Amino acid sequence: MNEAVSVKAPEIDFNTPQLKRHRNIRTLKDKMAKGFIAAGGVSVIVAVTLIFFYLLYEVAPIFESASVDAVASYDAPGEKGETLLLGMEEQAEKGLRLDDNGNVTFFNLKDGTVDSATRLPIPDGASLTGVNEGAPGSNTVVAGVSDGSVVIFKHTYNITWPNNVRVITPSLEFPYGESPMALDPSGAALTHVAVRDNNDYLLVVGSNTSNKLFASFYEKEANFLTGDVTLEESSVTMPSVNGDIVSIQISPDTRWLYVATKSGKLDMYDISNKQSPDLIARVDAVASGSQITDMSFLLGGYSLLIANNRGEIRQWFPVRDAENQYHLQHVRSFQAGKAAIAKIAVEPRRKGFLVATAQGEAAIFNTTAERNLLQEPVVEGDVKHMTVAPRANFMLLQSQDDRLHFWSIDNEHPDVSWSALWSEVWYEGYSEPDYVWQSSAASNDFEPKYSLTPLVFGTIKAAFYAMLIAIPLAICGALYTAHFMSPTLRRKVKPAIELMEALPTVILGFLAGLFFAPFMESHMPGVFTLLVLTPIAILVFSFAWANMPQSVRLMVPEGWEPLLLLPVICFIGWLSFAISPAVEIALFDGNMPHWLKETVGLDYDQRNALVVGAAMGFAVIPTIFSITEDAVFSVPKHLTYGSLALGATPWQTMIRVVLPTASPGIFSALMIGLGRAVGETMIVLMATGNTPIMDMNIFEGMRTLAANIAVEMPESEVGSSHFRILFLAAFVLFLFTFLVNTVAEFVRQRLRAKYSVI
C-alpha cells in the first residue's frame, strides 16, 4: 500500500519591501481621499454658512432704529426777537433764522457765529405775523405782514471752491420783487399764510385776526426772448371759516385748500373754480376733546400731518369713493408721548417727519413703514421751533430759553418695517390698503413701495404652474421608461431627455417670450383643444392596440409600443391648431381673450403664468425625470420578480412594490425640481411681463423674487434701502430653499425607514 505524500504549500511573504511599499501607498491614497472628501464637505458647509451670514449682514441695517447725537448748543444768533422760522442748507453747515421783526440771520450751525444778516423789505414799524414754507425742499417762504401784505422770498446757498475749499455763501432771492404783495384790503395782520409756486401760476392764501380768508392767484407769462416772468392776477373768492384758524395749506396743484381750526376740525375746499370754492369734506381731525397744534404737508403735498395737544399725530389724505367723489381719509396715527406737539418738521426727501413736544422730546417717524424710529429728550422744557436738514441727517431746535440746539441724526433706512414688507399698506393715492412693489418712479415725491408679498406670491405661482405641468409628465415618463420600456429603447430615450437639461434657460425664456407667448395668444383655443384631445387620443389608441389581434401586436417588439404614439400625438397637435379658428368662432365669439374678460371676468396678459408654466415645466422635467427614473430602476429586481411570481400584474407590481420602494428617490426628485422652479430667473424674466401683482389667474403675469433681483440689482444704489431689500429678497429665497430641503430630507428619511423592510 502506497503511503500518501504530503506536499507543503509554499509560504508567501507579505512583508516584502514591494508589498510594504504597496500597502503604504494605498494607505496614503485612502487618507488623502478621505481628507479631500472631508475638506470638500466642510467647504460646502462653510460656504453656505458664509452666504447666510453675508446676506444677514447686508439685511440687518434696515431694521435698525434711528439715533441722535448732540453737536452744538448756543444762543439764538442775530437780533433779539421772536423766532418764526429756522432753516438749513443741504450740507448742514449754514443755518437761517427769521424773527418777527423781519430780520434774517445766516449763521454757522457748528458754533452759532453769524455769517450775514439782512432785513426783509417790509415797511418800517411793521412786523411779521405769520410764516409758512412752500413745498418741502424748495426753500420758498411766504411771510405775512402786520399790514395785510405778504413777502415771498427764497433762501439760496451758492457753493464755490476757492483753493479747493468749499465755501457756502447764503443769500435771499425775491422772485416776484422786493415790494410786499397786498393780500388783505383791510390792512389787518395776516396770522396764517400759505403759498404754492410752480412754473405756471402762483397762489397765496392768508387769514387775518378775524379768521377771514384772502387769496391772490397769479398766472405766469414768460417772455421767450428775455425769460422775464410777468404775473397776471386773477380774483379769487374765499370761503368763510367757522372757528379759530390754526393752519392753512394748499395742495401742489392748487386744487385743494385745507384749513385747520383750533376746535379740531379740518376743512377741505375745492378751489379749482376760483370764483366758487366748494366745501368737499369737514372732519374731526383729532381725537375728541383735543386741539390741533400744528399741521403740515408730507413730502409731495398729498398727505396732511395733523398734531394735537395730546402727543398724537394723524395722517390724512383725500381718497376717491365708489362714486368717484373725494373724501378725507384718516390713514394712520402716531403717538409721541402725552405732551402737546409743538412743531412738525417734514423730511424734504422722504416720507418721514420729526416732531418736538412741549416736554423737550424729539421723535422721528416714517409714515409708509408706520415706524416710531426714535423718541428721546433733546432739550429742557418746551421746544419752540424745529427744522430738519434736506438730507434728514441733522436737526435744529430752539428751546424756551432761546437757545439753539444742533443735533446729528443717524437714520439710514426709515422706510422699511415688517408691516411695510409683508402687510397691506395704504399708500398715497390708493383707494384702499394693498400689497405693492414699486421701488422707483419719475417723481421725486415718490412713496417707495417695498412689499415683498407680491414677489413671494409670484414665485410660488410660477413654481406651482411649472410643477403642475412637469410632475405628471416627468414622473409618468420615468415610471414607464424604467419599468416597462425596452432596455434598448431606454438607453436611447433616457440620455435624450437628460440632454434637455443642458439647454440654457435663457434660450427657453427667449422662445417662450418671443414665440410661444404670441403664438398662444393667437391660437389659444388650439392650446386647450390639444390639452383635452391628447390624453383622450392616447387612451383610445391604447384601448384599440390592446384589442388588436395578437398577430398584429407581436409585430412590434415588447417595450417599443411608445413609438407608435408619436404619429398619433403629432396628428392631434396638427388637428388641434387646424381647428383652432373654427373653435374660437363657434365657442368664443371669435376672440377668446376678449371672451374671457367679458364672460368669465379674467384678464388676459400675453406673457402669463400658462406660458411660464409650459416653458419652466419643460426646463424642470429633465431633472425630475432623471432622478425618478434612477430611483425606480434601482429597485431590486428580486422584489419585482417575486411580485410577478406571486401572480401580481406588472401594474400591481408598479403600484404596490416599486413605487413605495422608490418613493424616497421620487420625493427627492420633486423637491429638487421645486427648488429649480423657485430659483429660476431667465424664463420668468423673459416670459412673465414682470408685473408684481397678486392674482392666481393663469392668464396673468407675475414677478418672482429671483427675477426681481436680476432686474433691479444693477440699478440700485449701493447701501440704499432698495439695495438691502433686494438682499432681503435673496435671504428669503435662501431660507425658503433651506427649509424646503430640510423638510424634504426629513420626509425622505421617514419614507426610507418605512419602506426599507419591503
Side-chain angles (χ1 to χ4, degrees):
M1 185 174 181
N2 296 329
E3 295 181 359
V5 179
S6 61
V7 180
K8 187 176 182 182
E11 294 183 359
I12 300 176
D13 187 3
F14 291 97
N15 294 316
T16 61
Q18 294 83 357
L19 291 177
K20 287 182 177 181
R21 184 166 58 252
H22 176 74
R23 287 197 298 271
N24 291 337
I25 293 174
R26 187 173 64 180
T27 302
L28 179 61
K29 290 180 179 179
D30 290 342
K31 291 181 178 180
M32 290 179 62
K34 183 178 179 180
F36 281 123
I37 294 172
V42 171
S43 299
V44 171
I45 296 174
V46 170
V48 172
T49 305
L50 289 177
I51 292 173
F52 173 84
F53 282 107
Y54 175 71
L55 293 175
L56 192 62
Y57 168 78
E58 291 289 353
V59 168
I62 63 178
F63 296 105
E64 294 179 355
S65 296
S67 62
V68 293
D69 292 302
V71 177
S73 178
Y74 39 81
D75 292 332
E79 300 291 334
K80 297 298 182 182
E82 184 69 23
T83 301
L84 298 182
L85 178 71
L86 293 175
M88 278 189 282
E89 50 83 29
E90 184 171 4
Q91 309 300 329
E93 294 182 12
K94 303 293 182 180
L96 170 144
R97 176 176 174 263
L98 172 66
D99 63 29
D100 58 349
N101 295 317
N103 297 311
V104 178
T105 304
F106 293 102
F107 58 95
N108 295 311
L109 289 167
K110 294 293 180 64
D111 53 18
T113 57
V114 175
D115 188 90
S116 61
T118 186
R119 187 174 186 270
L120 294 180
I122 59 176
D124 293 337
S127 62
L128 301 184
T129 53
V131 173
N132 200 352
E133 297 183 86
S138 66
N139 290 344
T140 300
V141 180
V142 58
V145 188
S146 57
D147 62 0
S149 62
V150 295
V151 177
I152 300 175
F153 65 94
K154 294 181 68 174
H155 49 106
T156 61
Y157 305 88
N158 183 39
I159 300 179
T160 57
W161 295 85
N163 301 321
N164 293 325
V165 178
R166 182 174 62 198
V167 176
I168 300 176
T169 306
S171 62
L172 292 183
E173 293 181 359
F174 299 90
Y176 306 107
E178 296 187 6
S179 299
M181 305 166 65
L183 193 63
D184 182 0
S186 67
L190 297 174
T191 55
H192 300 92
V193 288
V195 64
R196 279 295 171 180
D197 185 15
N198 57 36
N199 294 330
D200 300 320
Y201 39 75
L202 169 70
L203 176 62
V204 183
V205 178
S207 66
N208 60 17
T209 53
S210 301
N211 295 307
K212 188 175 181 180
L213 293 174
F214 300 91
S216 293
F217 181 76
Y218 301 90
E219 293 185 8
K220 296 182 179 180
E221 293 185 2
N223 188 315
F224 72 94
L225 294 177
T226 64
D228 295 336
V229 177
T230 58
L231 300 179
E232 183 176 344
E233 185 175 4
S234 301
S235 61
V236 182
T237 301
M238 283 285 102
S240 58
V241 179
N242 296 324
D244 296 330
I245 296 176
V246 175
S247 180
I248 302 171
Q249 296 293 342
I250 309 169
S251 65
D253 58 359
T254 70
R255 178 179 181 181
W256 308 116
L257 172 67
Y258 299 96
V259 180
T261 59
K262 194 172 183 180
S263 61
K265 299 292 185 181
L266 173 62
D267 294 344
M268 174 183 175
Y269 296 94
D270 184 352
I271 57 173
S272 55
N273 185 345
K274 299 297 185 290
Q275 303 305 318
S276 179
D278 186 17
L279 178 62
I280 300 298
R282 174 173 290 167
V283 296
D284 293 319
V286 293
S288 176
S290 59
Q291 297 179 347
I292 297 176
T293 57
D294 196 11
M295 179 174 72
S296 179
F297 267 124
L298 199 62
L299 172 67
Y302 195 84
S303 292
L304 278 170
L305 299 172
I306 300 179
N308 66 15
N309 59 347
R310 296 182 179 178
E312 184 186 29
I313 308 97
R314 292 188 176 184
Q315 181 184 2
W316 295 77
F317 57 66
V319 174
R320 293 178 186 262
D321 57 22
E323 287 75 30
N324 202 31
Q325 300 296 319
Y326 280 101
H327 67 277
L328 278 172
Q329 177 66 47
H330 173 219
V331 182
R332 52 182 69 93
S333 299
F334 305 90
Q335 193 69 39
K338 299 297 182 180
I341 303 297
K343 185 68 177 175
I344 300 175
V346 176
E347 294 188 12
R349 298 177 184 175
R350 296 186 302 207
K351 297 293 183 178
F353 65 96
L354 292 76
V355 298
T357 71
Q359 292 182 347
E361 290 186 328
I364 303 176
F365 301 92
N366 184 271
T367 56
T368 306
E370 293 191 59
R371 291 183 68 184
N372 183 348
L373 296 140
L374 176 137
Q375 183 172 346
E376 63 178 67
V378 289
V379 299
E380 294 183 2
D382 192 5
V383 176
K384 298 173 66 176
H385 288 281
M386 182 184 198
T387 189
V388 62
R391 297 181 181 179
N393 54 350
F394 289 93
M395 64 178 176
L396 182 66
L397 309 96
Q398 182 172 349
S399 55
Q400 196 170 11
D401 57 0
D402 288 334
R403 288 183 62 83
L404 296 185
H405 305 268
F406 187 47
W407 291 71
S408 65
I409 304 174
D410 183 11
N411 185 24
E412 290 296 324
H413 310 287
D415 43 10
V416 183
S417 67
W418 184 262
S419 61
L421 292 172
W422 302 108
S423 301
E424 290 182 316
V425 178
W426 202 328
Y427 298 103
E428 292 181 350
Y430 283 64
S431 59
E432 60 184 9
D434 201 359
Y435 301 102
V436 182
W437 172 274
Q438 186 183 1
S439 58
S440 61
S443 172
N444 292 329
D445 303 332
F446 169 68
E447 181 177 21
K449 303 170 181 65
Y450 291 135
S451 177
L452 291 180
T453 305
L455 305 181
V456 174
F457 180 88
T459 303
I460 296 174
K461 179 181 177 181
F464 172 77
Y465 284 116
M467 298 297 286
L468 189 66
I469 293 176
I471 287 176
L473 294 177
I475 291 184
C476 292
L479 293 176
Y480 188 88
T481 302
H483 195 67
F484 298 101
M485 187 175 286
S486 166
T488 304
L489 184 59
R490 175 182 177 272
R491 287 194 293 269
K492 295 179 175 59
V493 171
K494 188 172 186 294
I497 296 179
E498 290 176 342
L499 190 62
M500 292 165 49
E501 196 168 7
L503 187 65
T505 56
V506 66
I507 302 298
L508 294 177
F510 178 82
L511 294 175
L514 298 184
F515 170 73
F516 183 59
F519 177 82
M520 189 181 73
E521 183 181 23
S522 58
H523 299 82
M524 194 186 307
V527 173
F528 288 96
T529 303
L530 177 65
L531 295 176
V532 173
L533 292 183
T534 299
I536 295 175
I538 293 175
L539 290 175
V540 170
F541 178 82
S542 301
F543 178 79
W545 177 255
N547 288 276
M548 285 282 185
Q550 188 174 7
S551 58
V552 176
R553 288 189 282 116
L554 291 176
M555 294 174 62
V556 179
E558 185 179 0
W560 288 75
E561 294 88 349
L563 296 181
L564 299 177
L565 283 172
L566 293 179
V568 175
I569 295 175
C570 292
F571 173 76
I572 293 299
W574 171 82
L575 178 64
S576 299
F577 292 109
I579 66 174
S580 177
V583 173
E584 190 166 25
I585 293 173
L587 300 179
F588 307 109
D589 297 330
N591 190 330
M592 188 173 177
H594 183 265
W595 180 87
L596 288 170
K597 174 66 175 177
E598 297 298 326
T599 306
V600 187
L602 295 178
D603 292 326
Y604 182 85
D605 187 8
Q606 186 187 82
R607 287 169 168 79
N608 53 53
L610 183 58
V611 176
V612 174
M616 196 151 65
F618 184 84
V620 173
I621 282 174
T623 301
I624 301 177
F625 173 88
S626 179
I627 300 175
T628 301
E629 204 275 344
D630 287 338
V632 173
F633 193 76
S634 299
V635 173
K637 297 299 181 183
H638 66 270
L639 297 177
T640 305
Y641 295 154
S643 175
L644 294 173
L646 291 173
T649 64
W651 181 253
Q652 290 174 328
T653 301
M654 167 63 70
I655 298 299
R656 301 293 181 86
V657 177
V658 176
L659 274 182
T661 307
S663 58
I666 297 174
F667 186 77
S668 297
L670 294 179
M671 291 301 101
I672 293 175
L674 178 62
R676 170 79 183 274
V678 168
E680 179 55 47
T681 303
M682 295 310 301
I683 294 177
V684 293
L685 187 64
M686 303 176 72
T688 63
N690 283 309
T691 50
I693 58 176
M694 295 182 62
D695 192 341
M696 278 304 293
N697 180 7
I698 195 172
F699 302 114
E700 285 279 8
M702 80 289 287
R703 177 180 287 194
T704 66
L705 288 167
N708 190 67
I709 295 170
V711 169
E712 300 196 6
M713 184 62 79
E715 300 177 359
S716 63
E717 179 188 354
V718 176
S720 64
S721 297
H722 181 208
F723 177 83
R724 297 192 185 279
I725 289 176
L726 292 177
F727 270 93
L728 177 61
F731 188 67
V732 170
L733 270 178
F734 182 93
L735 290 181
F736 179 82
T737 305
F738 177 79
L739 291 175
V740 167
N741 288 340
T742 302
V743 173
E745 181 63 19
F746 174 77
V747 174
R748 191 182 72 85
Q749 293 294 343
R750 292 289 300 270
L751 291 174
R752 189 174 182 180
K754 180 178 180 180
Y755 294 110
S756 62
V757 297
I758 294 180

